[in-house]
Structures are given as C-alpha cells and as structure tokens.
Amino acid sequence: MKSFLLPLLFFILLLSGCSKEVSQQGSMAPTATLKIKFEHQFKGQPLELNTNYQNDFGEAFSIGRFKYYISNIVLYRGSNASVLPETYFLIDENDTASKTLRIPIAAGNYDQMHLLLGVDSARNVSGAQTGALDPLNDMFWTWNTGYIMVKLEGSSPLSTQPNNRIQYHIGGFSGAYSALRQMETGFPSSVEVKSGQTLTVTFNADLQRWFNGVHDLPIAGQTVAMTPGPLSARYADNAVSMFSVKDARVQ
Amino acid sequence: MRWRCTISTLVFCVAAASMLINACNKKDVEKGTTSVSFEVPAGFPQPVYDFSKNPLTREGIALGRQLFYDGILSKDGQTPCASCHQQFAAFATFDHDLSHGVDNGFTTRNAQALSNLAWQQSFHHDGGILNLETQPLAPLTAANEMGETVAGVVAKLKGSGKYQQAFRDAFGEGEITSQKMLKALTQFMVTLVSANSKYDQVKRGTTSFTIAEQAGYATFKAKCASCHQEPLFTDGSFRNNGIGINPFLNDGGRIRITRNAADSLKFQVPSLRNVDLSFPYMHDGRFYTLQQVLTHYRTGIQQTPNLDPALQFGISLSNTEASNVLAFLKTLTDSAFVKDPRFAAP
C-alpha cells in the first residue's frame, strides 16, 4: 500500500511544480465587456487634423498628429479593485479603430474606473515590448529609455522651426518630472454589468486645454518639447486635464 | 521484501520525475530549441539582467550573432553593430576616437567596449538606456549611426527567407517582431563574458602576477579601485573625471539624461576589462594611450563644475607606481575572449 502512496504523492508534488498562470481577475470569469471610447475635440467640436484652429491665447495652429498611451485600467466597486491585466493601448487620432477599446471584464457592480495616461514606470524599463508598446510605433525614445506618453505635432505660423513645426513629445516616468498622470473617474452611480452586457464609458478629450488646461503654455513660448523634465511635466498636467467622462452606460 | 519495496518505489519515482520534467519542458521540445545556461564566473555577483523573460537558447544566441554582424540592420546595408564593435578591439572601434556611421557620418562619442553586459545597470556613456534589450534601438535609429527605423528593419527581416527560418528556429512560429529581434540580439550580447584574463587566472590561483603587476595591483586597489571596482572594474556611477568639455562636441554627458546641473560633465565609469585593447579612451576618445590617461589623472585634472571629490588633487603616482599600474592594467586583457570563435562573425 505504502509503496503505492509514496510515488503518488511525489507525482502530485511534481505536477504542482509545473507552474500555471493565475488569473489576475481571480475566480471571476470575464463574461462582460468594458468598452472605452475616446472622442477628441477642439472647443467642443470633433477634432479635425490639419485644420486651422486658434487657442485661448489667440494663436493660430493646426494639429497633424495626436497619439497617446492609456494603460493600467482598474475598475472599482467601493474599495474592491479589479485590475484588468495587460491593458496597454495606443490611441491615435488618425486611426479610428484605436479610439475604441474593448476589454473583457467580470460581471458585477462598478462605481469607479482608474486609467493611467502613459505607460507605467516598470514597463518603461522592462526591455523589449510588443503590441501597443512595440518601439516601431514611434512612441519610444531610443537614446533616453522611456515611452512618449503623449505626442502632439502640428504647425503654427508662430513657430520658427522647419516648416513652422510645433512638436510636443511628452514623457518621463520617474522622479519629480514624471509625465505619468492618473485619471480617476467616478460613475454617477454604481453601474451593474450583467454577463453578456457591455459597459461603455465615453471620454471627451478637448485639445483646447493642451495650451492652458492647468499651466499657460502659449505656442509663442514653446514650439517644441522633446525631453523629460519640468516642461514635459507641465504639458502632462494640461494633457490629463483635457479628459472628462461624457457618458457611462450599460447595454 | 521491505528493501525491494523501497527500491521499486525509488525506480518508479525517478521514472515519474523524468517524465514530468519532460512535460514541464515540452514547450522547448515543440519549439525545437536547446536551452543554454548562463554561467556566472567565480567571484562575480549575480547578473542584473533578467534571464527569466528571455531564456537563452542556442538558436536565439545564433540569431542574435547573425543580426549583430549583418548590415541589414542599417540604412545602407553595410553598417552592422559589428562595424563599431570589433571583436579584436574588445568590441570597441579599433584606433578610432569617434566611429563612422552611415553616409560618412561620425558618431559623437567613442564606441564602448562590450563585455559582461549582463551585469550592467545602465548603458551608454550617459547611462540613458536602462535595459540591455532596448539599447540596440539607439544606434539602429540614430541618423549618424545605422540610420534605420525600427519598422524598416522589421520589414527587411520579414522579407528575408534566411531570417524567417532563423526566427522560427529561435522563437517558434509567429511573425518577426522588433521584440524578438531585440531579445535575440540581447541573447548574443550577454554571452560576451570576459572573465579569463591573466587577472582572473591569478584570482583563481592558476597563475601568478609578475612583481611589477603585483605592485601595480596594490597601487590600483589603493588609488583606482574606488571607481573601478573589482571584479567588473566599474562601480557603474557617473563622475566628472576632470577632462574638461570638448569644445567641438559640447557633450555634457549625464546632464543630457537627467537635466540636472549637478550631473553636468559626468560620464559613466567604464569597465577596465580589456582596456589595453579598447583605445582610444574617454567619451570622445581623446587619449590614445593608457600612458596619456595616467598622465591626465596625475597632472592633467581640470577644475570644472562637479569635479569628482576623489580627483580634486589628481591621483599622485610615482613614475614607478604608474608603470606598475600600466603593467597591471594589461593583465585585464582576455585574449581568449577577443579570439573566441563563438563571438566572431558567423
């Protein structure tokens, strides 16, 4: 009898040695969907690329490219957090599909959502990445490790750069000048998402606030920001102030 | 009877164990890769590089080596990593203060010798790169180095039958990505371990220093080793060693990364392994001989902002001490490393 039990025990021990990945969502199977939509605007109207705009300083400019990272999405019910694993998204104004995120979530009640505008510091230094974080997306600094969290490029007659270029590459993930900004969004009331249903959260991002959402950063003062530092951190404050929740509904 | 029972139990356990271990490694069997273990030389600390996310395989290292020596990574097809990192020069550029990139361009810094990269925390003279895997992106995309784009290189690799096969061999099915390319390059780069110099052999007790080398080692430990710590011969810190700014390059070093005035004119302390082969020296390659470097530390220190406190008065060395230190530094040459066929062009 004993001679049977011993190897059996050994067998079980060894089996448990083969590691399995534990789902970060615990036992709750993701049977519902979280849909996050980003609507880019300028002064309340849908953003159009390469269109002449005027900011609140009366400065003329146009936007040619607008891209940013959203990561680390967490849903809350009270203090209960469900971290949605591996949520890294590159949102690109020029790519309609990129502006709608679809993430499997567990059915349940939720009253808050947290997102990171940018890529968390750990992932900046974890070596070669792929997918949204692939360096070929042109959102990774090659000479000073780190992701460009938000990229806004365009032109303005006020710029003396080649082709009147304005170019803001906002990044930096550590220290006082980190450009990472947390977005914390409470839903008007707790929302119940049943199995098979979709919770859709729509954000507005109004680029009017890029220049003065928190800090006054007229084009006349800055046509280019390309490195982590105090200026980048101020643009990050303005950038996160562009976002507001327009709507959260369950269907 | 009892003995027999125990023996049969043992036999069964061993059989079961070997079956199960095979099961655990099944993935490797499916991929057809052969895993390679990373040997930490005696006396070395644990490596910094996280091998768990990029386990070494014979096929991965071979692919990395092929990429390292292939101009396909550069815009003009003729400027591989190896054009600036030459094995016989300890993977620095032989006899060049600055190296050549594409379009007859010059780099703005002296190419660094490559060895023992798995122990290095940050890369480049200014420490701007924080993970070995993302380092190759810098020379690859710099207009004055390899002049390519990440997307451009990945597209070229995807279009090459040779690389389609080599990537499949190393990483299984699935398309070629920049991540796989960088992981393969890293696998090759971490294998560039230099730990078989005369110094290492003396440490292992298989040979002994000459009298001059021994005296030089004592002086080195007393006067140089606070920055050039054994066994890697660097402490990885950033320091202003008093060479003064190069007016043509105006390179402030570490300040470019941190934007902190206190880091102006600071550069990362380089390893001294194979130092006799990796001339010229300093971030701009201004000194062609080790003799010049020692003369700088003895009498040439310039009082510039953020000068390292240890160098305030230079390093006092008698002529005998200096020549002994030179003799010691030559014991850091690892001739097996610079001739190792595993590191040569495939």
Side-chain angles (χ1 to χ4, degrees):
Chain A
M1 194 61 199
K2 237 186 187 172
S3 63
F4 261 99
L5 274 176
L6 255 169
L8 200 68
L9 196 71
F10 199 67
F11 222 97
I12 291 165
L13 269 166
L14 271 164
L15 269 177
S16 63
C18 288
S19 69
K20 294 243 157 60
E21 271 196 21
V22 181
S23 160
Q24 271 186 274
Q25 286 211 335
S27 55
M28 310 253 271
T31 56
T33 304
L34 169 66
K35 192 157 124 182
I36 306 178
K37 292 168 73 175
F38 291 96
E39 296 183 355
H40 304 149
Q41 304 183 328
F42 191 76
K43 294 192 180 174
Q45 297 302 310
L47 180 71
E48 287 184 39
L49 294 179
N50 305 309
T51 297
N52 293 324
Y53 287 127
Q54 222 173 52
N55 66 18
D56 289 344
F57 303 108
E59 298 173 315
F61 72 99
S62 66
I63 295 169
R65 197 181 283 181
F66 178 50
K67 289 163 86 172
Y68 54 93
Y69 276 113
I70 292 289
S71 73
N72 290 269
I73 302 172
V74 187
L75 280 170
Y76 284 86
R77 192 182 71 180
S79 54
N80 270 349
S82 342
V83 177
L84 307 178
E86 281 297 308
T87 41
Y88 292 93
F89 299 97
L90 176 58
I91 289 98
D92 181 352
E93 166 56 23
N94 217 3
D95 174 6
T96 309
S98 76
K99 290 187 269 185
T100 303
L101 321 180
R102 283 186 187 78
I103 305 148
I105 58 168
N109 287 291
Y110 300 106
D111 54 22
Q112 246 196 92
M113 182 167 75
H114 291 189
L115 306 87
L116 192 64
L117 177 58
V119 177
D120 54 280
S121 57
R123 204 50 83 95
N124 275 271
V125 296
S126 299
Q129 304 292 317
T130 194
L133 300 178
D134 193 316
L136 65 72
N137 293 319
D138 232 1
M139 293 287 279
F140 188 77
W141 276 314
T142 55
W143 55 278
N144 184 2
T145 293
Y147 283 93
I148 297 170
M149 311 301 183
V150 188
K151 182 186 262 193
L152 186 135
E153 294 176 356
S155 67
S156 166
L158 282 97
S159 169
T160 55
Q161 305 290 341
N163 302 320
N164 301 114
R165 188 175 296 161
I166 55 172
Q167 189 163 306
Y168 307 104
H169 294 181
I170 308 312
F173 56 85
S174 65
Y177 301 133
S178 167
L180 292 170
R181 295 294 180 269
Q182 184 83 1
M183 290 163 40
E184 300 185 357
T185 300
F187 304 138
S189 58
S190 168
V191 291
E192 190 190 357
V193 193
K194 292 191 183 124
S195 202
Q197 286 188 319
T198 299
L199 164 61
T200 305
V201 185
T202 307
F203 283 88
N204 276 341
D206 199 316
L207 280 92
Q208 183 186 6
R209 296 177 69 82
W210 180 264
F211 301 97
N212 62 344
V214 178
H215 310 280
D216 282 351
L217 297 165
I219 295 169
Q222 298 298 340
T223 51
V224 175
M226 297 289 285
T227 54
L231 179 65
S232 193
R234 286 201 289 276
Y235 277 111
D237 290 336
N238 284 3
V240 74
S241 83
M242 303 191 302
F243 292 85
S244 62
V245 172
K246 180 179 159 193
D247 193 44
R249 64 176 64 182
V250 179
Q251 282 161 327
Chain B
M1 188 59 198
R2 173 168 285 190
W3 271 111
R4 221 178 277 164
C5 247
T6 317
I7 289 166
S8 67
T9 306
L10 261 171
V11 168
F12 189 79
C13 284
V14 169
S18 62
M19 270 169 66
L20 276 162
I21 286 166
N22 279 336
C24 281
N25 284 341
K26 203 171 172 189
K27 218 173 157 191
D28 282 352
V29 174
E30 269 171 15
K31 276 187 185 170
T33 53
T34 314
S35 61
V36 172
S37 62
F38 185 78
E39 308 284 342
V40 177
F44 273 46
Q46 280 306 303
V48 173
Y49 182 67
D50 181 2
F51 288 92
S52 71
K53 294 193 181 100
N54 187 19
L56 300 185
T57 63
R58 194 187 292 166
E59 295 76 12
I61 296 166
L63 171 58
R65 177 180 169 196
Q66 202 175 343
L67 290 165
F68 187 88
Y69 281 99
D70 195 337
I72 196 170
L73 265 56
S74 64
K75 187 172 84 173
D76 64 2
Q78 297 176 39
T79 315
C81 309
S83 66
C84 296
H85 297 286
Q86 302 165 314
Q87 185 181 14
F88 63 89
F91 292 98
T93 314
F94 181 75
D95 197 32
H96 279 59
D97 50 357
L98 306 173
S99 310
H100 304 286
V102 296
D103 296 334
N104 300 312
F106 275 113
T107 61
T108 53
R109 287 176 179 159
N110 180 248
Q112 292 178 285
L114 309 181
S115 74
N116 304 336
L117 298 169
W119 286 270
Q120 207 169 317
Q121 198 76 250
S122 64
F123 303 88
H124 289 192
H125 289 287
D126 58 22
I129 311 291
L130 298 176
N131 189 304
L132 181 58
E133 289 178 16
T134 49
Q135 190 284 332
L137 294 170
L140 205 144
T141 60
N144 59 343
E145 296 186 48
M146 296 158 85
E148 254 295 356
T149 63
V150 185
V153 168
V154 170
K156 282 194 277 182
L157 293 174
K158 279 181 178 171
S160 150
K162 180 179 79 172
Y163 278 110
Q164 284 168 11
Q165 186 59 47
F167 274 83
R168 264 199 303 274
D169 291 347
F171 297 108
E173 291 304 323
E175 64 176 2
I176 293 174
T177 62
S178 72
Q179 184 182 45
K180 289 176 184 171
M181 172 188 77
L182 294 169
K183 283 186 184 286
L185 276 168
T186 303
Q187 288 200 27
F188 173 64
M189 290 191 291
V190 292
T191 63
L192 303 176
V193 173
S194 176
N196 199 21
S197 62
K198 181 171 186 185
Y199 160 83
D200 297 296
Q201 291 167 18
V202 171
K203 284 279 160 183
R204 290 199 295 266
T206 57
T207 187
S208 47
F209 283 136
T210 63
I211 291 165
E213 290 163 355
Q214 185 68 51
Y217 182 36
T219 305
F220 179 86
K221 282 199 284 189
K223 298 188 173 178
C224 313
S226 66
C227 301
H228 295 287
Q229 279 171 14
E230 301 168 70
L232 298 164
F233 289 89
T234 171
D235 65 353
S237 66
F238 300 90
R239 297 168 189 266
N240 173 0
N241 68 346
I243 56 173
I245 197 152
N246 178 320
F248 293 100
L249 298 169
N250 270 315
D251 189 345
R254 183 71 176 155
I255 189 175
R256 181 171 181 240
I257 301 305
T258 63
R259 304 267 139 195
N260 180 353
D263 288 329
S264 179
L265 303 179
K266 290 185 182 174
F267 293 86
Q268 192 164 38
V269 175
S271 169
L272 299 182
R273 285 190 168 269
N274 298 302
V275 69
D276 191 39
L277 302 178
S278 64
F279 67 95
Y281 308 106
M282 306 296 140
H283 70 88
D284 55 359
R286 72 178 65 179
F287 299 138
Y288 269 75
T289 65
L290 285 172
Q291 183 73 55
Q292 282 177 298
V293 174
L294 287 190
T295 303
H296 162 71
Y297 285 120
R298 292 167 77 186
T299 60
I301 295 285
Q302 297 179 40
Q303 300 291 325
T304 47
N306 307 317
L307 176 63
D308 199 81
L311 296 173
Q312 217 69 43
F313 306 104
I315 300 176
S316 75
L317 292 171
S318 68
N319 287 346
T320 312
E321 282 175 325
S323 82
N324 289 341
V325 166
L326 282 179
F328 168 69
L329 289 176
K330 287 174 187 179
T331 72
L332 298 176
T333 298
D334 183 346
S335 41
F337 174 75
V338 294
K339 288 180 192 145
D340 194 323
R342 293 173 304 161
F343 308 148

